[in-house]
Amino acid sequence: MDNENKKDDKSINKNDKSEETSYQANSEDNSLSNVQRVKVLSPGMLVIKRFLRNRLAIIGFIIILFMFIFSFIGGFFSPYDETQVFKHIGTMSKEYVSLSLNEQYRYTSSDENIYNSNMHSKFILAKNKGETNFILDDIKYHISEEGKDFYSIFCLEPIAKITYFRNILSVNLHEGIEMPEEINNYIKTAIEQGETYFKYNSKIYVLDKDGRNYILESTQNVAFESLLIMEKATKDIEVTYEFKYFLRKALMDDEVSIFEYNGERYELIRDEYSISVNHIKPDGKEPYALASEFSIKSISQDVFLSIEFKKELIKTIMSGASSFVYPDEHGEDIEYNILRNNNMYTVKKLTNTHLISIHEQPSLKHWLGTDQHGMDVLTRLMYGGKISLVIGFIVVFLETIIGVVMGGIAGYFGKLTDMVIMRIVDVFNCIPFMPLLIIIGSVMDALDIDPKIRIYYLMLILGVMSWPGIARMVRGQILSLREQEFMIAAEATGLRISRRIFKHLIPNVIPQLIVLATLGLGGIIIYESTLSFLGLGVKFPYASWGNIISGVSTAYEMTNFWFVWIPAGMLILLTVLGFNFVGDGLRDAFDPKMKR
Amino acid sequence: MRKYIIKRIAISVVLLFFVSMIIYIIMRSIPTSYVETQARMLSQMPGAKSYADWLAQLNTTYGMDKGILEGFMQWASNAIHGDFGDSWQFNVPVVEKFQSVIWDSFKLGSIAFILQIFIAIPLGILAARKQYSRSDYTITVLALLGISLPAFFFATILKLIFSAWLGWLPLYGKVGRYYELLSGFDQFFDIAIHFILPILTLTIVGVGGLMRYTRTNMLEVLNSDYIRTARAKGLSEKRVVNYHAFRNTLIPIVTILGGTLPGLFAGALITETLFQIPGIGYTGYLAMVSGDIPFTMFYMVFMAFLTLLGTLIADILYAVVDPRVRVS
């Protein structure tokens, strides 16, 4: 619709002009000395006048002007940075606790050096075979079943050799070991009853058969194996192995509700799935430990779970519910969700965290929303425009310089020089441009080149690859220009060859050069954005109109996040269109022959 | 004439030799670690040869163990015999892969080409006949819009409208999910539906240039003396334009169209990639991005060959179509 008006305006303007001139011709003096009548415009002014008369060219010029202001000045006015990531506080379901029903024996050892997972696996093997001893690294261990799912592990040390023959017992103590006499009675009873161990002085002694003889071994408790898991109630409590062992033993007896250890009194409170231990102090009770068949671990290291929370969690899981509410340290109720995977449970907690505002809808704060990195789209469009335009201009500058020099030399010297240069042009013309750029892009990917240096490489390659068009045009023009009289005059004045080419011939090609360069700018911007779109040009964190569009790939993103890619695409389209309008207008302005 | 053609062909062959040499040098200049990574990756594929075997094969096929010139000679002599090696990405001989994908590209290209001709030439002539009219401006703006449209953006918009919003056409691919279950005609229909958007993209993006070219040439013809003569003779405007002017406009158009004919086999790299149509463009893209040197090498040389063939055809056609331009 705009075009119609433009065209009408134009014809009206034209009519006005002609009426004006005829009016002047009639009213003024017809003599040639009248300056008004023979007002002559310089060729440059004529071009400008013709250019300004072309509506499309003006529109293109305005578009480009807008793009420049938007890209180069817009960045200063935008309150945000190119790579500023926006965050907001939101709730997110985060894994908080993992819990599993313990079905394997776990060991608690007095010292990790004396009893560790090596011995533990030996224990499992021995227990499954029903053996009471096992040997590891020449050290004997004794397993003593203390109760249901509870075994004590003893380290054995031979102390005596025993011969027992026809009720005569002789005990040969090893060197440096002393034993009271009364132990002999215990040994005797044990042997007679076929026992392999006996208790004496609350210490266990083991009788190991060695042929006809026996070896008496003293024992030292090093660990216990149990299905029950005991965990301390608060972070600061130091629970010793001895206490754990004592507690485990105390737990075997269902009747015990209060026990004493090291002069301190402890209370046991049993419920369905767990037993909690309270430390009875003069000023009141204090939670001390929790024993249950569940292994409960918090996902993050710095969280310590309270006994009450654990009990609540176990209760919820055993009741089959999938969520529960428990107050946090500030007294606020927080909902926890439980996910089950076989015997593993994962508890998720809704926590407030800093979330990156990804694909935020347009708002007053972000006029075009945010992209997939949580960056302001409008700001990135500005910086992207800057990169696209700068790349365009530098590349065109580069290709024009190379093209003019090569074309000028070829055109001026002709013959062999011309032949060689034109064949080089042909070769460059044949090398497929886009595939080459893609290859170089993916090689730069493989080499992990810094995104900033990439941009320079990109400019260099685009410039070096696209000069043949300009060289060909320059050469063609110069071939005819050099035969003209002014060149003979230039030669006659004895000017240097370089001066003849670049001062006398090239200026005559400037109009065509300007047109080619303007149209070329659009082409370069398309190449650059296509490459960036494919992820092989300008790379994140640097913005480019192409790589902003590449942020959306699926149909879902396309329809829902239109505010990210449509503006970027429209900017590319408008900029290229602007350059094409201007280039077209310039061509018409420089070469009015095409007008009927 | 025959002498001229032979001379041009000879020059083209020499040019092709140098172009493939340059492409080879570029390929060789790619850091060797890249080839080693490639070999490592290939050796990890199921049922693949060992890393050392792959590396040795890569080095021998490309003469990497030799100097650049020597290596190129080896590649060239193999290539002349039609042996372009095995593709690393597709695990089949390069030529075999090429034969299996080229026809999709050709179909896309030729349909878009025909559509372009039928849109561009009448509109270009219309614009020239009514220069500076309402329709001229509209056509000029449309043509420039087509030229300025980046293929990837236009393709994405088409996808948004026809696939995401309307749901009429598939988002990408050559065949649908149930292609194998369909009967003969339905299979054809399935492929046709998948080809609509790519063809539309190719047509719109390419039509602008031809339209402008037609307009410029028609303007030139309409400004020439013989048209003035025809008008002076008292012929109707219709006959002047459709008979005298049109025939003369066809000369440069036929020339340039002849030049683009080989390009129908070149495939549309960007469009095919965006719509994942398994033509030569998309295959080439996959090969390039994954560092499949044999296929890339073949693809690049093939493209260079098509370009040379195009210029050759254009130049010869120019002499054939226009008797005034017989090259001495």
Side-chain angles (χ1 to χ4, degrees), chain B residues 23-284:
Chain B
I23 296 171
Y24 181 83
I25 291 171
I26 293 172
M27 285 316 213
R28 276 291 296 265
S29 314
I30 289 173
T32 48
S33 63
Y34 187 61
V35 172
E36 280 157 19
T37 347
Q38 199 63 35
R40 198 165 299 126
M41 209 182 74
L42 285 167
S43 62
Q44 277 160 4
M45 291 200 330
K49 289 179 269 192
S50 74
Y51 169 69
D53 284 352
W54 265 118
L55 201 63
Q57 194 201 330
L58 304 192
N59 284 335
T60 42
T61 30
Y62 284 89
M64 302 254 186
D65 40 354
K66 298 183 192 127
I68 288 189
L69 208 64
E70 219 177 320
F72 173 66
M73 287 305 172
Q74 187 196 336
W75 179 86
S77 69
N78 284 344
I80 287 171
H81 295 108
D83 173 20
F84 287 90
D86 294 343
S87 161
W88 301 346
Q89 165 82 8
F90 309 106
N91 278 326
V92 286
V94 167
V95 181
E96 196 178 295
K97 182 71 190 172
F98 166 73
Q99 281 164 351
S100 70
V101 297
I102 187 65
W103 294 109
D104 280 326
S105 285
F106 180 71
K107 280 176 214 154
L108 278 186
S110 45
I111 296 172
F113 181 68
I114 292 165
L115 283 176
Q116 280 176 17
I117 292 176
F118 279 103
I119 296 171
I121 293 181
L123 287 181
I125 290 174
L126 181 74
R129 266 180 59 194
K130 303 184 174 171
Q131 199 188 6
Y132 299 132
S133 70
R134 192 179 297 183
S135 40
D136 180 27
Y137 269 104
T138 317
I139 290 169
T140 305
V141 169
L142 283 181
L144 285 176
L145 262 175
I147 295 173
S148 312
L149 258 179
F152 67 92
F153 178 57
F154 187 58
T156 318
I157 286 196
L158 286 182
K159 281 181 179 181
L160 174 71
I161 297 174
F162 292 103
S163 306
W165 283 351
L166 299 175
W168 290 350
L169 299 169
L171 207 53
Y172 46 70
K174 181 193 166 190
V175 291
R177 199 180 297 166
Y178 305 111
Y179 177 76
E180 295 297 328
L181 305 176
L182 299 173
S183 58
F185 178 75
D186 286 341
Q187 283 194 340
F188 171 77
F189 185 70
D190 190 39
I191 294 182
I193 260 192
H194 281 81
F195 274 12
I196 291 179
L197 287 186
I199 288 175
L200 202 57
T201 312
L202 285 177
T203 311
I204 299 296
V205 169
V207 80
L210 190 59
M211 215 175 332
R212 306 263 316 141
Y213 191 75
T214 314
R215 177 180 177 268
T216 316
N217 277 302
M218 191 67 181
L219 277 179
E220 209 167 307
V221 169
L222 285 174
N223 280 332
S224 57
D225 295 340
Y226 54 83
I227 295 296
R228 198 183 304 140
T229 313
R231 288 215 180 94
K233 216 162 69 171
L235 292 177
S236 69
E237 182 69 15
K238 209 172 157 189
R239 188 159 171 85
V240 170
V241 172
N242 292 351
Y243 192 75
H244 293 254
F246 180 65
R247 286 183 156 200
N248 282 292
T249 320
L250 277 187
I251 295 172
I253 293 176
V254 165
T255 314
I256 205 171
L257 288 184
T260 43
L261 271 182
L264 297 184
F265 290 95
L269 189 92
I270 304 296
T271 312
E272 281 180 18
T273 305
L274 284 174
F275 288 102
Q276 297 184 11
I277 303 282
I280 183 76
Y282 183 45
T283 314

